[in-house]
Amino acid sequence: MFALERSSVSSLSHSIHSNMTTPRSTRKTSGAGDVFFQQREPSVDGNLKLSQVIETSGDVMCCRYNEDSTLLAVGLANGAVKIYSGDTGALLYNLSDQEVVDSSLPCTSIHFRAYHGGDRSKNNVLVTYASGMVKHWHTASSTCLSTIHETRQTLNAAFNTAADQFITCGEDDKIYIYDESTRQRIMSCEPSPSMNVMDGHRCRVFAIQFHPQEAYQFISGGWDDTIQFWDSRIQHSIRKLYGPHICGDSLDIDADHNHIVTGSWRKEGNLQIWDYSTGNLIKNVPQDFASSLLYCSQWHGKDYIAVGGTEQNMARIIDRGTLQTTGRIVDLPGGVYCLDNNRQGVHPRLAVGSARNIYLLDKKPIAT
């Protein structure tokens, strides 16, 4: 989401806007001989159809479906979080308070807490902000349940499978482990003091995710071109792999095959599949018709990968078997800094964020 380094939190919002790429345009000439440029409208091809466009009140920084896909949360550059119906796209709730308004800095990640039968946590959401705030919200009442103030830009978070711990990462090399019930920090995962040992990150961290089938194992990626493997009970990372240059929420684990997908902010070798157990590279996924600098990537059902980025202002879905693009949306009004699928069925609905809009994409029906 944030490819350019900035020295202060106050400049982050400006840097996001200045780093947004503009959509392609066509050159036209009027009858009087004046030359002007007309912005192209987004277009969809392949086996995708554009089902709906949600226009928000600010630039979209992150988005996330809840567990049963009934809600879609969208985080904006001014810090506000909008909760929409996952079915109709109607605006349901607005998550903001005076702290958010006063900071006026971007929302950087959104994560719904997994619901366990009998508890009261359904549709509680964890939100991180570039101001360093980490907030728990109750969506239905739009109430902030707690606030943690980290002394850094907080860029992402994740819950473990039991939802009894959550982790955060940010502009430094530390990953904080929190107890979910008390909201107290219980561990700081970080590298050894010696620069001769690479048992942690050496730069800002943009992506973290717990393994879906392991209570204490998680991975992380950032600017130092490594993916670090961690145990939340141990201070230093237990192993690593080299290669991916992570600049957004572009790290995901497929528990069925035990594979990792990484999206890198670079033109060559920017989409890769790795074996979780060994850390070995399985495949380099080829580029589409033009290179795109990736900010987001995730598994899309069991058989596909969804990615989005800048320079080409596009998002696409790739068949993980053939490595071919099956559908894409191009000529978006800005870079794609976030996407999320609703994890329902073989071909989940995909939400793509670009500029002030969320584009909802579904698989095109087969013609009969």
Side-chain angles (χ1 to χ4, degrees):
M1 180 182 319
F2 317 112
L4 302 180
E5 183 172 11
R6 293 292 183 266
S7 59
S8 67
V9 173
S10 60
S11 64
L12 180 58
S13 183
H14 172 73
S15 74
I16 292 170
H17 292 285
S18 63
N19 192 42
M20 284 187 173
T21 52
T22 54
R24 290 181 292 176
S25 57
T26 52
R27 186 176 186 272
K28 293 194 175 185
T29 305
S30 67
D34 298 324
V35 177
F36 65 96
F37 291 88
Q38 183 178 28
Q39 180 176 309
R40 293 184 182 181
E41 291 295 320
S43 61
V44 180
D45 55 22
N47 67 354
L48 290 178
K49 67 171 184 177
L50 180 59
S51 298
Q52 189 175 359
V53 179
I54 300 173
E55 184 175 351
T56 72
S57 57
D59 288 314
V60 175
M61 296 291 104
C62 50
C63 62
R64 188 77 60 180
Y65 279 100
N66 68 341
E67 207 168 12
D68 61 8
S69 79
T70 56
L71 300 178
L72 173 63
V74 178
L76 305 182
N78 64 2
V81 175
K82 307 290 184 180
I83 308 292
Y84 298 91
S85 166
D87 298 321
T88 67
L91 178 62
L92 301 177
Y93 313 111
N94 177 54
L95 307 184
S96 185
D97 59 14
Q98 196 58 49
E99 280 189 312
V100 172
V101 172
D102 290 344
S103 71
S104 192
L105 288 173
C107 169
T108 54
S109 76
I110 301 170
H111 300 272
F112 283 92
R113 185 184 187 275
Y115 176 70
H116 297 280
D119 68 22
R120 298 181 179 181
S121 64
K122 191 169 187 179
N123 293 330
N124 282 4
V125 65
L126 175 67
V127 182
T128 63
Y129 302 84
S131 62
M133 292 187 296
V134 180
K135 287 180 174 286
H136 283 76
W137 294 90
H138 181 251
T139 56
S141 63
S142 300
T143 301
C144 180
L145 303 175
S146 67
T147 303
I148 299 167
H149 295 92
E150 296 184 346
T151 56
R152 62 179 181 179
Q153 296 175 11
T154 307
L155 301 175
N156 215 328
F159 283 107
N160 67 352
T161 52
D164 58 4
Q165 288 184 355
F166 65 92
I167 54 180
T168 66
C169 63
E171 64 175 333
D172 55 16
D173 57 12
K174 296 177 177 59
I175 298 172
Y176 296 144
I177 316 293
Y178 291 92
D179 180 272
E180 163 62 10
S181 60
T182 65
R183 315 283 162 82
Q184 297 298 307
R185 190 188 305 173
I186 57 177
M187 170 78 80
S188 177
C189 292
E190 56 190 89
S192 298
S194 172
M195 296 299 291
N196 296 322
V197 181
M198 193 65 175
D199 56 359
H201 290 289
R202 296 297 179 181
C203 201
R204 59 178 60 195
V205 183
F206 286 91
I208 47 177
Q209 185 175 3
F210 273 99
H211 193 288
Q213 296 177 347
E214 301 290 342
Y216 301 106
Q217 293 184 25
F218 67 92
I219 57 175
S220 60
W223 272 359
D224 61 11
D225 295 351
T226 69
I227 302 299
Q228 299 286 339
F229 294 74
W230 305 83
D231 185 306
S232 62
R233 299 163 295 187
I234 302 173
Q235 184 179 22
H236 308 309
S237 69
I238 54 180
R239 57 193 177 94
K240 59 189 174 296
L241 64 84
Y242 289 100
H245 185 70
I246 305 296
C247 292
D249 196 10
S250 57
L251 186 63
D252 199 13
I253 301 171
D254 169 22
D256 290 333
H257 298 86
N258 218 24
H259 289 173
I260 302 169
V261 64
T262 59
S264 295
W265 195 80
R266 62 189 179 211
K267 291 187 177 181
E268 302 296 331
N270 59 6
L271 185 60
Q272 298 171 299
I273 301 172
W274 309 80
D275 180 73
Y276 183 94
S277 298
T278 65
N280 293 334
L281 178 65
I282 298 173
K283 293 177 182 177
N284 277 302
V285 180
Q287 285 282 5
D288 197 69
F289 68 97
S291 62
S292 186
L293 309 176
L294 299 184
Y295 278 99
C296 41
S297 63
Q298 65 178 221
W299 297 109
H300 187 78
K302 294 183 178 181
D303 301 321
Y304 300 92
I305 306 167
V307 301
T310 58
E311 193 160 287
Q312 296 302 319
N313 294 355
M314 64 176 287
R316 64 179 177 127
I317 294 178
I318 303 112
D319 186 298
R320 71 185 293 172
T322 66
L323 305 184
Q324 298 299 307
T325 299
T326 61
R328 63 192 176 199
I329 181 168
V330 298
D331 294 326
L332 290 163
V336 176
Y337 296 98
C338 65
L339 52 75
D340 194 38
N341 73 84
N342 68 0
R343 297 166 184 83
Q344 304 297 309
V346 178
H347 300 282
R349 167 172 281 194
L350 183 66
V352 175
S354 178
R356 301 167 71 93
N357 299 328
I358 290 286
Y359 298 85
L360 301 181
L361 302 163
D362 291 296
K363 187 176 185 296
K364 188 184 298 181
I366 299 174
T368 56

